[in-house]
C-alpha cells in the first residue's frame, strides 16, 4: 500500500510566544511527507485535553521533550503501517494507546501533531489541496475572517481591557480577498485613532492593539469610529464580535472587571452585554460567562440567543460530551472549534457535526500561542464553518492563515463563495 505510514518523527520548535511546541513529520511508503505543528492557549479552559509539558529546568518547565518522545517511540510504533487515508483508524489507534479521558498519558499536543500531519500526508499523497481532501469536491465557501484588532486580558498581560478580544467581521464584503483588505484598512485606521488620542499602539499576543482604556465599552467606541473612518458602514458592511474569555476573571462567584474596578454577578454581566448589543452592532459573543457557569449561560442565551451568536469556547472545549449537554440545556447557539482542545482531527470534526446537527454554528479558532501552520484555514473551508478567527491582520503566524485563505479563494476561482452574513448573525428570528 503506497499510502501506508512509513515513519513518524517529532521535534520541539518554538511558538509565537517563544514557548516550545510540537512539530511532526509523517512519511508514507511512497515517500510523500506531511508536516503539522501544534498551537497553545493562554486563557486555557480547565476542561481541555492535557497539553503535556516536561516541568524540568529546560525552558522554565515548558519543554515538550516528553511529548516529542511519545510521538517518536510509542505513537510511531502504534500507527506504522496504517493507511494514512484512513484518518479515523489512525486517530482511534492513538486514543486506544493513550487510554485516558483527557489524553494525559501521551499528551494532546503529541497526538494532535500526528493526527494533523497524517491528514496532510494523505492530502499530498492524493495530490489534493488540504481543504478539498478534507471537505470533498463541493467545499468552496470561504469563511468570514473575524479580525481581533484590540487585545485585552491575559493576551495583554492585563495592561488593557478585561475583555480579551474585540473583533471585526467584514460580512458585507463581496469576497474573502476584499474582506481581508477591509479588515487591514480598519486595523490601520484604529492604530491612527489610538495614536492620535495618546494611547499605546503596541500589540498583544494575537496582533491587536493594547490601549490602556478606562472602560471596556470605550474599545467599542474606538472600533466603530475606525470602521467609519476607513469608509465602511458599521452594522452593514462590518459587524463586531467580542470574546471576554470571562473564565479568566471569574472568581468566587463574581466576574472581576479590573479596568472598571468592580465585581459583578452573572446577571449583571448579561445586562451589560444586552446594553452593548443595543448600542453597538455586535453580532457575536463568545465566552460571555465562565466555563462552569451553566445556569448563567442559560440565562444569557435566553436573553440574547435570538439576537446574536452565543459561542461557547471554554465551556465546551470542542468536546462532544460537553457540547451535547449544552445542546440539551439550550445554553448557546454556536461552538468554538479548536483542534488542540480535544486532540484529534476525528474528534474535532465530530464536534463540528454535532453543532450542525443541532442547527448551531461552528467557528474555527487559532490559539494565542501559534505557529505558521495554516491547517485551520483549510479546515474552515472543508467543514464550511462560515467564519473563523485567527487574530489581527498583523503578525506572521496570524496572517499566514488569512493568506492561505486567499490562496484557496484564488484556486477555487469562479466557484469560490464568500460566506458573508450566512453565519455571522444578526440571526433571522
Ligand atoms: P487562548 O485564547 O488561545 O489563549 O485560549 C483564545 C480564546 O480564548 O478564544
Ligand atoms: Zn475564547
Amino acid at each position: 500500500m503506497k499510502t501506508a505510514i512509513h515513519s513518524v518523527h517529532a521535534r520541539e520548535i518554538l511558538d509565537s510566544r517563544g514557548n516550545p511546541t510540537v512539530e511532526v513529520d509523517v512519511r508514507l511508503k511512497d515517500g510523500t511527507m506531511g508536516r503539522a505543528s501544534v498551537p497553545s492557549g493562554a486563557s486555557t479552559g480547565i476542561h481541555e485535553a492535557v497539553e503535556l509539558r516536561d516541568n524540568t529546568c529546560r525552558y522554565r518547565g515548558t519543554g515538550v521533550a516528553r511529548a516529542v518522545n511519545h510521538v517518536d517511540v510509542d505513537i510511531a510504533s502504534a500507527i506504522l503501517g496504517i493507511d494514512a487515508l484512513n484518518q479515523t483508524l489512525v486517530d482511534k489507534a492513538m486514543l486506544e494507546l493513550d487510554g485516558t479521558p483527557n489524553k494525559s498519558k501521551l499528551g494532546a499536543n503529541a497526538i494532535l501533531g500526528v493526527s494533523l500531519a497524517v491528514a496532510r500526508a494523505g492530502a499530498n499523497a492524493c495530490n489534493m489541496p488540504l481543504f478539498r481532501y478534507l471537505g470533498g469536491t463541493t467545499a468552496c465557501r470561504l469563511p468570514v475572517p473575524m479580525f481581533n484588532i484590540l487585545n485585552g486580558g491575559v493576551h495583554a498581560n492585563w495592561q488593557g481591557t478585561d475583555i480579551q478580544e474585540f473583533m471585526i467581521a467584514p460580512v458585507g464584503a463581496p469576497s474573502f480577498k476584499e474582506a481581508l483588505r477591509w479588515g487591514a484598512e480598519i486595523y490601520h485606521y484604529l492604530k491612527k485613532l489610538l495614536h492620535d488620542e495618546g494611547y499605546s499602539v503596541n500589540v498583544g499576543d494575537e496582533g491587536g492593539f493594547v490601549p490602556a482604556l478606562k472602560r471596556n465599552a470605550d474599545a467599542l467606541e474606538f472600533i466603530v469610529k475606525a470602521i467609519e473612518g476607513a469608509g465602511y458602514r458599521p452594522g452593514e458592511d462590518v459587524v463586531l464580535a467580542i470574546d471576554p474569555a470571562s473564565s479568566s476573571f471569574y472568581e468566587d462567584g463574581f466576574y472581576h472587571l479590573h479596568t472598571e474596578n468592580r465585581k459583578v454577578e452573572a446577571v449583571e454581566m448579561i445586562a451589560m452585554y444586552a446594553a452593548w448589543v443595543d448600542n453597538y452592532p455586535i453580532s457575536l459573543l463568545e465566552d460571555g460567562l465562565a466555563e462552569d457557569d451553566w445556569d448563567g449561560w442559560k440565562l444569557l442565551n435566553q436573553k440574547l440567543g435570538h439576537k446574536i451568536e452565543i459561542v461557547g469556547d471554554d465551556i465546551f472545549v470542542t468536546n462532544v460530551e460537553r457540547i451535547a449537554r449544552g445542546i440539551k440545556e439550550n445554553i448557546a447557539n454556536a461552538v468554538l472549534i479548536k483542534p488542540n482542545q480535544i486532540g484529534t482531527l476525528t474528534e474535532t470534526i465530530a464536534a463540528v457535526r454535532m453543532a450542525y446537527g443541532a442547527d448551531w454554528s461552528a467557528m474555527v479558532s487559532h490559539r494565542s500561542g501559534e505557529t505558521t501552520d495554516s491547517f485551520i484555514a483549510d479546515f474552515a473551508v472543508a467543514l464550511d464553518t462560515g467564519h473563523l478567527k485567527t487574530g489581527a491582520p498583523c503578525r506572521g503566524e496570524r496572517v499566514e492563515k488569512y493568506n492561505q485563505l486567499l490562496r484557496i479563494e484564488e484556486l477555487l476561482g469562479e466557484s469560490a463563495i464568500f460566506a458573508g452574513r450566512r453565519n455571522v448573525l444578526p440571526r433571522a428570528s
Side-chain angles (χ1 to χ4, degrees), residues 126-178:
C126 296
N127 254 320
M128 281 171 115
L130 183 60
F131 77 92
R132 191 167 281 154
Y133 174 73
L134 295 175
T137 187
T138 57
C140 61
R141 200 184 316 260
L142 278 297
V144 171
M146 314 288 290
F147 297 110
N148 177 10
I149 59 174
L150 204 148
N151 294 184
V154 291
H155 296 169
N157 272 316
W158 298 104
Q159 302 296 302
T161 52
D162 301 296
I163 305 299
Q164 179 179 280
E165 302 171 20
F166 290 90
M167 293 171 268
I168 51 166
V171 290
S175 63
F176 180 83
K177 186 177 177 181
E178 284 296 277

Side-chain angles (χ1 to χ4, degrees), residues 43 164-165 243-245 286-287 312-314 336 338 365 389:
S43 62
Q164 179 179 280
E165 302 171 20
D243 176 12
E286 176 190 328
D287 277 8
D313 171 10
D314 290 353
L336 197 74
K338 290 169 166 169
S365 171
K389 68 166 193 176

